[in-house]
Amino acid sequence: MVRGYQTAGFDDPDSIPLLHGEKKQKTAGLKADAAGNSGVGAGFVQMLQGNLGPGILTLPYVFTQGGVITTSCMLILVLFLTLYSMGLVLKAKKWVHAQPQWINVEESKRPQSFQSVGRELLGLRGEKVIIVFVAMMQLGICMVFFNFSATELMAVEEYYSRVNATSGELADPTDSSDGLLLGKPELIFAAAPIALALSLGRSPTIIVVSASIATVIMYVTIGTILALVAWHFYRYFPGWPELQLEPLKPSYLPIAFGNLVYTVTTSIGILLPIENSLGPRAKTKYGTIVASAMSTTLVLDLAVGLLANMAFGKQTHESITAEFIEENIGHPEYVIGINVALALSVLLTYPLQFRPACEVVEAALGVAIEEDDDAENGLLLQDGVKQRSWWQTWGYIPVRTALVLFTAALAAGVPQLDLMVALAGSFTACVLALMIPPAMDIAMMRKDNTFPPMRVFLDSVVVIVGILGLIGGTGATLLQLAGVDVDDLL
C-alpha cells in the first residue's frame, strides 16, 4: 500500500513501515517458533545489537576526557535510568491494551509501536513529538556514521602518511606536516555516494542483507578490539600507565553525558518492535531479556572504556582503533584492516538507520512509499486505471538525495567524533529515552487518578536528568564547536 500521512498532517503515523511496531522481525540463525516469531535468544541479540555501534568505540576517549571514575559513574547512572524508562514504555503498552476500547480487539490491531502507545496517552501532539524526534535521532545516527567512517579512514591515512617511502619505517610522529591527501570533510563527502546508492533501494531485502553483513563485521571487529585491549592489558599487568581519574575539564562532563546517552539508549526505539516479534513464551520473559541485554551492554562499555585507559593510559584519539596504530598494537596491516572494516560496516548499516527518517519526510511530502492498490491514498484515477504522479513515483530520489547530503554536510561541519555523538545523544536521545517515557507514565497516573509518591519521585528525577542532559549537553557541545572555552568563563 501507499502509506503515509496526509501532507503536513501526520494523520496516520502507524502506517509508516519501519516506524510501525507491528512488523515481524527475524534474526537469522536463531530459533523461531512455528509462526516465525523470534525466541528468547533472538530477542537478546536484537536488543544487544541496538546498543553496539560506533558509540562504544569512542568511549575510551570519552573516559579520558571525562575522567574514568566520573564517567564510569555516569555510565552506570544512564544505564539504570534507561532501564527504568524502558520499563515505563513496556508498562504503558500493557496499560493501553487493558483499556476498554482495546481489550477485546485482536492483539495485532492494538497499539504496538512507541508512537501509537504515545498517542493513546499523550494525544496527537505527543505522538507527533515522538515521530519527529525518532526521525531526528535516526538522522543523527546517520551523521555519526559518516563521521565515524571518516575517522577510521583518517587513522589509516595518517598511518601511511607517516611511513617512510624508502625504509618503510614510521616517520617522526612530532612532524607537523600531516601529508594527508583527504581531510575528514572530503572523506565524508566521498562516502556520501555510497550511502546514497545503498539508500535508494526500496526493497527491504537490500537493507536486511547489508545490515546483516554489517552486523557480522561489527561483532567480529569489536570482539577483536576487546581481545587486543585485553592482551595489551595482560602483557603489562600490573604496570599500568597513569590513569586520568578526574575530568580534564569540568565543561566536558555534559559532552561525556551526551556520548553515554547515545551509546546506551539507542535501543529504546526498537524496544517494542522486538517485543512484537517474539513468540508468546519469549514475551513472558521479555523483562529479563531486556535487563540481561542492558547489563551486557554495561559490561562491554565499561570493559572498552576502562580497559583501554588502563592498558594504554590517556587516550588521545577519538576512536580506539587509532590508538592501536599509535601504540603499534598488533600487526599494522591487520589493525588497518579493522579500521577499514569498521568504516565499511557503518556505511552498510546506514540505509537501515536512514530509512525510518526518510519515510517520515517522504510521507509528509506526499511521496508514495510502497506499491498500493487503494485509490484513497492519493493515487490518481484516469479512465478507471490508477495512475501515479511523477512525484509519487520518483519523488523519493530527490528527497533521499537531499537527506543524505544534509547528513553528510552536518557531519562534515562537526569534525570531532565525540562532539557529533554528544550532539545526537543530548538533543534527541535525552528526549526519547529520558523525558517521553516518564511523561507517558505521568499521563497513566492522571488517567487512573492515582499518584504513588515513589513513582512520581522517580519519574520526576528521570525527567529532570533528561532536561539537564538536553540543555547542558547540547549547549556545551555547541559552545565547544563555536570555540568558546567555558572553563575560562567559570
Side-chain angles (χ1 to χ4, degrees):
M1 322 174 88
V2 171
R3 308 182 180 223
Y5 311 122
Q6 295 177 9
T7 303
F10 291 155
D11 293 317
D12 186 20
D14 267 353
S15 64
I16 296 182
L18 290 187
L19 286 180
H20 191 192
E22 288 80 352
K23 289 222 166 186
K24 297 289 184 186
Q25 293 188 11
K26 299 178 184 179
T27 301
L30 294 174
K31 187 176 181 180
D33 62 19
N37 297 310
S38 300
V40 173
F44 174 83
V45 170
Q46 290 176 44
M47 180 60 62
L48 182 62
Q49 181 179 332
N51 289 326
L52 289 182
I56 191 174
L57 299 179
T58 66
L59 288 180
Y61 180 78
V62 173
F63 269 63
T64 292
Q65 298 297 314
V68 294
I69 294 178
T70 307
T71 307
S72 298
C73 292
M74 284 198 300
L75 176 60
I76 295 171
L77 172 66
V78 170
L79 183 124
F80 277 106
L81 293 179
T82 303
L83 262 179
Y84 179 75
S85 289
M86 287 179 168
L88 295 181
V89 174
L90 295 175
K91 182 193 298 183
K93 178 187 172 186
K94 185 176 181 180
W95 183 92
V96 168
H97 287 192
Q99 298 309 297
Q101 67 269 32
W102 296 111
I103 194 168
N104 294 320
V105 177
E106 182 182 342
E107 175 75 17
S108 62
K109 296 181 179 179
R110 297 175 183 175
Q112 300 282 1
S113 59
F114 194 1
Q115 67 274 8
S116 60
V117 172
R119 177 178 56 204
E120 297 296 314
L121 290 167
L122 304 176
L124 186 58
R125 290 185 179 179
E127 180 187 38
K128 290 177 182 178
V129 170
I130 295 175
I131 292 171
V132 169
F133 271 91
V134 166
M136 288 195 298
M137 184 175 74
Q138 297 307 121
L139 291 177
I141 292 173
C142 291
M143 296 172 199
V144 170
F145 281 7
F146 271 135
N147 201 309
F148 179 79
S149 63
T151 299
E152 296 302 304
L153 295 177
M154 280 277 290
V156 175
E157 195 177 5
E158 287 172 356
Y159 169 79
Y160 283 111
S161 73
R162 290 167 46 200
V163 173
N164 186 291
T166 56
S167 65
E169 298 177 353
L170 289 178
D172 183 1
T174 62
D175 187 357
S176 60
S177 59
D178 53 30
L180 300 181
L181 295 175
L182 297 174
K184 182 173 285 188
E186 290 82 1
L187 287 170
I188 289 174
F189 282 109
I194 301 174
L196 177 60
L198 292 170
S199 301
L200 285 178
R202 310 194 81 181
S203 170
T205 303
I206 298 175
I207 295 177
V208 171
V209 171
S210 61
S212 298
I213 296 172
T215 299
V216 173
I217 295 174
M218 184 64 71
Y219 277 132
V220 171
T221 51
I222 288 180
T224 304
I225 288 169
L226 281 172
L228 286 173
V229 171
W231 172 79
H232 193 77
F233 174 80
Y234 172 78
R235 180 183 179 186
Y236 292 100
F237 179 85
W240 301 331
E242 181 181 356
L243 294 177
Q244 181 63 40
L245 299 179
E246 300 299 328
L248 290 175
K249 291 184 177 181
S251 61
Y252 192 83
L253 290 180
I255 298 174
F257 183 82
N259 276 266
L260 298 176
V261 170
Y262 175 92
T263 303
V264 172
T265 66
T266 49
S267 60
I268 196 167
I270 59 175
L271 178 69
L272 294 184
I274 292 175
E275 184 187 32
N276 299 331
S277 73
L278 299 178
R281 178 176 170 272
K283 282 184 178 179
T284 62
K285 301 180 179 180
Y286 192 49
T288 303
I289 293 172
V290 173
S292 300
M294 296 302 291
S295 299
T296 304
T297 298
L298 176 63
V299 171
L300 290 174
D301 289 348
L302 286 174
V304 172
L306 283 175
L307 278 181
N309 275 270
M310 295 174 75
F312 307 125
K314 299 177 183 178
Q315 304 290 291
T316 58
H317 294 81
E318 297 167 320
S319 175
I320 181 62
T321 54
E323 289 290 336
F324 291 163
I325 294 177
E326 184 74 22
E327 298 288 339
N328 293 320
I329 303 301
H331 196 279
E333 279 71 20
Y334 184 65
V335 175
I336 287 170
I338 293 177
N339 285 66
V340 175
L342 285 171
L344 176 62
S345 70
V346 296
L347 286 178
L348 288 174
T349 312
Y350 184 96
L352 179 66
Q353 303 294 344
F354 177 73
R355 182 161 174 170
C358 73
E359 283 176 348
V360 171
V361 177
E362 288 172 4
L365 295 177
V367 177
I369 296 177
E370 294 181 356
E371 294 298 328
D372 189 12
D373 293 326
D374 298 329
E376 62 184 8
N377 284 316
L379 293 184
L380 304 176
L381 290 178
Q382 183 176 345
D383 298 328
V385 179
K386 283 171 273 190
Q387 302 288 331
R388 291 179 183 272
S389 67
W390 178 91
W391 179 252
Q392 287 176 315
T393 304
W394 302 108
Y396 76 95
I397 295 178
V399 170
R400 296 188 183 191
T401 301
L403 287 175
V404 169
L405 293 177
F406 172 73
T407 56
L410 285 185
V414 184
Q416 296 102 314
L417 178 60
D418 62 317
L419 297 184
M420 183 78 261
V421 174
L423 196 58
S426 301
F427 188 67
T428 59
C430 279
V431 175
L432 285 174
L434 302 180
M435 295 171 64
I436 290 178
M440 293 167 64
D441 192 44
I442 292 171
M444 281 191 288
M445 288 188 282
R446 290 183 60 185
K447 292 178 183 293
D448 290 337
N449 197 27
T450 177
F451 299 90
M454 181 56 67
R455 189 170 160 190
V456 173
F457 172 75
L458 291 175
D459 287 353
S460 301
V461 169
V462 177
V463 170
I464 291 172
V465 172
I467 293 174
L468 292 176
L470 170 65
I471 297 174
T474 304
T477 303
L478 293 176
L479 288 173
Q480 185 90 351
L481 290 171
V484 178
D485 194 336
V486 180
D487 295 286
D488 290 343
L489 302 177
L490 299 177

